[in-house]
Structures are given as structure tokens and as C-alpha cells.
């Protein structure tokens, strides 16, 4: 019975996180379709984040019900952090990401998203957090992984290659694929491919900065969902002000009862409540590195969707670049895990040494009379 429970504790988080990545890619394809069909990315961002913020505000209190809030949240330092988290993690990231998506494809979103630990490593090195010792295997792993990540991004930009699944001249399922391509869009054209890749890379840099701020913030304010709710609201307000200037046409803001509206509702609910809750729960169950390890699954799902339901959409070069980036991503993550394991071992050894000293000291003090004789 215990073995069965242990297996379920491993299987359920694994399957759930894999499905989260599948849903993310599916929503990305639907977003690409909506943007290609004429939906303004600025309108899409504001509406999805507004819905998400409205849902997150009450949900965050429900999620942390019964938990004691030791640290006051609404202080001047925390408000500054909330503003910066909203600016980097919502405003900058989403505007750059959805503009980049409109010029590229979901597989490029995956490849550029995998640059995050490489950017984080460069940022932490620039800020002087941790020395770079080349003789250390973990440092070499992070440096080499960063180079591999950037190589994958470079391949993604400069080499498209032939389509993996070109249009069939005549086949039993050609009509089905033609119908799918009529309603959904995976890839449109490569005229602004490099621009889209650059925008997505900038979005990843922004989310890497957000990650540094977020890690420090959660250490001070461990009620994660309340932090997410606060910076989501701040980012939504920033997006609304910016989008009002970028999309002044009021007709663009009018929504009808169609797929665009359904997509906004689905994205708002999934991004704010479902995915965030699952990630928080899995991180508590399996540790902080469990959730990031599933990010390369996006390549798998994008490749499956791109080859199963679309023709003239997925290039060999795109998959190759994403696979190279995924290899570098996993190498950096492995190096970070090894670094933290080593740090925990050192701390445990130090604490054990302190405990030993506490046990020895009274004995020494008790033998004071002997030393004086």
C-alpha cells in the first residue's frame, strides 16, 4: 500500500505538469491564430490579465486561508517590489512575447523561453552573486549550458530548413489537414522571423529579471498567491495605460461572442488560477526545481501538434534549434541542482559541527577542576 502511494505521489505531479505544458502550447497556438486573424495583441493582453487579476484577488485569500501572515505585506518596500514584478513579469514580458509570437510560431516561443536560465546565470554573474570558478564542475556546466542555449537560439533565427510535413498532393487525410489549417494557425510566413525571435529573446530576458526579484520577494513574503495577485493587478494597470496609447481605435476593444472571447476567458482562467496553483503545489511537493524541469516538454508538444495537425508549418531548423536550446537548458538546471545540493551538504555539516560543539563544551567545563590541579 505504501509503495502504491509513493508511486502515485510521483506519477500524479509528473502527468499534471506534462499536461500543463500541453495546455500552454495549445493556448499558444490559439493565440497565434487569433493574432493572425486580426486580434490586437495589446487588447488580448489587457483583457486576459484583467480577468486573471479579478479571479486571483479572492482566490489568493482562499488559497492561503488559515495561514498566518507574519510579515506586513502592503509596505513601501513591498509596493516597489510589486510594481517591478508587474513591470517585468507582466507588462514587458507579455507585450514582447505576444508581439514576438505574432511574427514567429509556438516552437520559437519554446526555444526562446529556454534561454531563461542562461540569462539568469549572466545576470547573477554580473551582479556578483557567486564566484565563477572554472575548476568547479558546476560552473563549467552552467557556462557550457549557456553557450549551448545561445547556440540553439542562433540556429532558431538563421536556419529554418524545409517543412517537416509539406502539403500532401493527395492523401486520405489531406482534407482534414486543410480544414484544420483553415481554422488554426501555427506558422504564417517568415518575413519577420528574426524580429519575432528577437522580441521573444527580450521577453525571456525580462522574465529572468522578474525571476530574480520574485525569488527574493517570496523569501520575505512566503504567501505566493497573494504576491502573484498583487503584481498581476499592477501589471494589468501598466498594460492598460500602455495599450490605450498603442491601440486608440475603440472598435478594436469591442469583443463579440466568438473564439476571441472564449480564448481570452480560457487564457485568463488557465494562466492565473490553474497553472499557477498547480506549479505552487508541485513546487511544495517536489522542490523548487521540479516545475522548471518540465519546460522542455513544450518542444515535444509543439512538435507533436505542429506535425499532427498542420502542414507547411513546422520547419526542421526550428525543431533543431529548440532541441539544442533544451539541451543547454537541462545542463544549466543540472548544474544549479548540484550547486544547491552541495550547499545543503555544507550547511548540514556546519550545523552538525555546531551540535557537536554544544555537546562537548559542557564536558570541558565540567573538567575544569582537573585542569586546575
Amino acid at each position: 500500500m505504501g509503495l502504491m502511494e509513493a508511486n502515485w505521489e510521483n506519477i500524479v505531479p509528473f502527468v499534471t505538469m506534462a499536461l500543463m505544458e500541453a495546455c500552454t502550447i495549445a493556448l499558444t497556438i490559439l493565440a497565434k491564430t487569433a493574432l493572425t486573424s486580426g486580434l490586437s495583441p495589446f487588447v488580448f493582453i489587457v483583457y486576459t490579465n484583467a480577468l486573471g487579476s479579478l479571479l486571483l484577488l479572492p482566490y489568493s485569500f482562499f488559497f492561503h486561508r488559515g495561514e498566518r501572515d507574519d510579515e506586513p505585506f502592503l509596505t513601501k518596500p513591498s509596493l516597489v517590489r510589486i510594481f517591478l514584478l508587474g513591470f517585468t513579469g507582466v507588462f514587458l514580458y507579455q507585450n514582447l512575447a505576444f508581439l514576438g509570437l505574432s511574427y514567429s510560431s509556438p516552437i520559437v516561443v519554446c526555444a526562446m523561453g529556454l534561454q531563461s536560465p542562461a540569462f539568469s546565470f549572466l545576470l547573477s554573474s554580473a551582479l556578483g552573486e557567486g564566484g565563477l570558478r572554472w575548476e568547479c564542475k558546476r560552473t563549467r556546466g552552467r557556462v557550457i549550458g549557456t553557450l549551448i542555449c545561445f547556440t540553439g537560439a542562433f540556429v532558431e533565427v538563421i536556419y529554418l530548413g524545409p517543412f517537416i510535413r509539406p502539403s500532401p498532393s493527395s492523401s486520405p487525410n489531406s482534407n482534414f489537414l486543410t480544414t484544420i489549417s483553415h481554422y488554426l494557425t501555427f506558422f504564417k510566413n517568415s518575413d519577420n522571423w528574426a524580429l519575432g525571435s528577437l522580441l521573444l529573446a527580450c521577453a525571456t530576458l525580462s522574465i529572468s529579471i522578474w525571476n530574480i526579484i520574485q525569488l527574493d520577494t517570496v523569501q520575505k513574503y512566503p504567501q505566493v498567491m497573494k504576491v502573484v495577485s498583487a503584481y498581476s493587478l499592477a501589471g494589468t494597470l501598466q498594460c492598460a495605460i500602455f495599450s490605450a496609447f498603442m491601440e486608440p481605435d475603440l472598435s478594436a476593444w469591442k469583443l463579440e461572442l466568438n473564439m476571441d472571447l472564449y480564448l481570452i476567458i480560457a487564457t485568463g482562467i488557465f494562466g492565473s488560477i490553474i497553472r499557477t496553483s498547480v506549479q505552487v503545489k508541485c513546487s511544495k511537493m517536489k522542490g523548487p526545481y521540479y516545475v522548471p524541469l518540465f519546460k522542455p516538454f513544450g518542444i515535444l508538444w509543439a512538435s507533436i501538434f505542429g506535425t499532427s495537425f498542420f502542414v507547411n508549418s513546422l520547419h526542421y531548423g526550428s525543431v533543431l534549434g529548440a532541441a539544442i536550446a533544451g539541451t543547454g537548458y537541462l545542463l544549466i538546471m543540472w548544474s544549479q541542482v548540484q550547486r544547491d545540493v552541495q550547499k545543503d551538504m555544507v550547511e548540514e555539516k556546519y550545523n552538525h559541527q555546531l551540535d557537536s560543539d554544544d555537546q562537548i563544551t559542557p564536558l570541558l567545563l565540567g573538567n575544569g577542576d582537573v585542569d586546575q590541579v
Side-chain angles (χ1 to χ4, degrees):
M1 188 68 178
L3 182 61
M4 181 69 71
E5 291 180 357
N7 287 334
W8 277 111
E9 288 180 359
N10 292 324
I11 293 172
V12 172
F14 182 90
V15 173
T16 303
M17 282 306 306
L19 289 176
M20 288 297 102
E21 290 299 321
C23 292
T24 300
I25 296 301
L27 286 173
T28 303
I29 294 173
L30 293 174
K32 171 67 176 181
T33 303
L35 297 176
T36 304
S37 301
L39 178 64
S40 169
F42 308 109
V43 172
F44 178 78
I45 291 168
V46 171
Y47 282 147
T48 52
N49 282 287
L51 176 60
S53 298
L54 289 174
L55 295 173
L56 270 172
L57 186 59
Y59 180 75
S60 62
F61 288 93
F62 173 79
F63 188 88
H64 294 292
R65 66 191 183 281
E67 296 183 13
R68 184 178 176 182
D69 190 3
D70 296 326
E71 189 74 23
F73 188 55
L74 295 179
T75 61
K76 187 175 180 180
S78 67
L79 291 176
V80 173
R81 290 174 179 272
I82 289 169
F83 174 83
L84 292 175
L85 286 170
F87 183 75
T88 56
V90 179
F91 172 69
L92 272 183
Y93 171 70
Q94 293 196 14
N95 279 285
L96 290 170
F98 281 104
L99 278 175
L101 174 63
S102 66
Y103 294 135
S104 58
S105 74
I107 192 73
V108 185
V109 175
C110 296
M112 293 304 170
L114 293 171
Q115 308 300 312
S116 179
F119 282 129
S120 297
F121 173 61
L122 294 180
L123 288 170
S124 62
S125 300
L127 295 172
E129 297 180 4
L132 290 177
R133 295 179 298 166
W134 185 251
E135 66 275 8
C136 178
K137 182 169 66 174
R138 295 180 298 278
T139 300
R140 292 199 300 269
R142 296 178 77 185
V143 172
I144 295 173
T146 299
L147 294 176
I148 294 174
C149 275
F150 289 158
T151 301
F154 187 67
V155 171
E156 195 77 30
V157 174
I158 66 170
Y159 177 65
L160 285 177
F163 289 114
I164 295 178
R165 189 170 192 174
S167 297
S169 54
S170 60
S171 64
N173 63 342
S174 59
N175 291 332
F176 170 73
L177 294 176
T178 303
T179 303
I180 290 290
S181 299
H182 179 72
Y183 289 105
L184 296 175
T185 303
F186 191 94
F187 169 79
K188 191 67 175 177
N189 59 65
S190 59
D191 293 342
N192 295 306
W193 186 267
L195 176 60
S197 301
L198 177 62
L199 290 171
L200 288 168
C202 292
T204 304
L205 175 60
S206 176
I207 207 66
S208 300
I209 298 172
W210 167 87
N211 191 50
I212 294 174
I213 304 171
Q214 179 254 351
L215 287 173
D216 189 52
T217 303
V218 170
Q219 289 179 354
K220 292 180 170 60
Y221 311 101
Q223 294 187 345
V224 179
M225 294 303 292
K226 289 185 179 180
V227 175
V228 174
S229 174
Y231 79 70
S232 176
L233 179 60
T236 301
L237 294 174
Q238 295 167 19
C239 289
I241 295 171
F242 176 73
S243 298
F245 288 98
M246 296 300 296
E247 195 63 69
D249 185 10
L250 294 179
S251 62
W253 295 86
K254 295 179 181 178
L255 294 177
E256 299 179 358
L257 194 63
N258 54 20
M259 284 303 298
D260 292 346
L261 178 60
Y262 300 143
L263 175 62
I264 288 171
I265 294 173
T267 304
I269 295 174
F270 177 78
S272 62
I273 302 295
I274 300 175
R275 183 174 58 190
T276 306
S277 300
V278 168
Q279 290 176 346
V280 171
K281 289 289 186 182
C282 288
S283 295
K284 288 182 177 180
M285 290 175 60
K286 294 295 184 178
Y289 289 107
Y290 189 78
V291 171
L293 287 175
F294 283 86
K295 199 168 183 62
F297 271 73
I299 304 172
L300 173 65
W301 290 117
S303 301
I304 291 174
F305 292 151
T307 54
S308 300
F309 304 112
F310 300 92
V311 294
N312 291 339
S313 294
L314 192 62
H315 300 80
Y316 279 102
S318 300
V319 177
L320 175 63
I324 294 173
T327 303
Y329 177 94
L330 292 175
L331 181 56
I332 297 174
M333 295 303 299
W334 174 84
S335 302
Q336 290 179 342
V337 171
Q338 295 300 313
R339 181 196 62 179
D340 286 0
V341 168
Q342 182 69 22
K343 186 186 296 184
D344 291 341
M345 291 175 61
V346 171
E347 290 179 354
E348 184 178 350
K349 184 177 179 181
Y350 177 74
N351 292 331
H352 179 71
Q353 182 69 33
L354 288 178
D355 293 339
S356 300
D357 291 344
D358 290 341
Q359 294 174 0
I360 293 172
T361 301
L363 296 176
L364 293 176
L365 291 175
N367 291 331
D369 294 338
V370 177
D371 295 335
Q372 292 175 359
V373 173

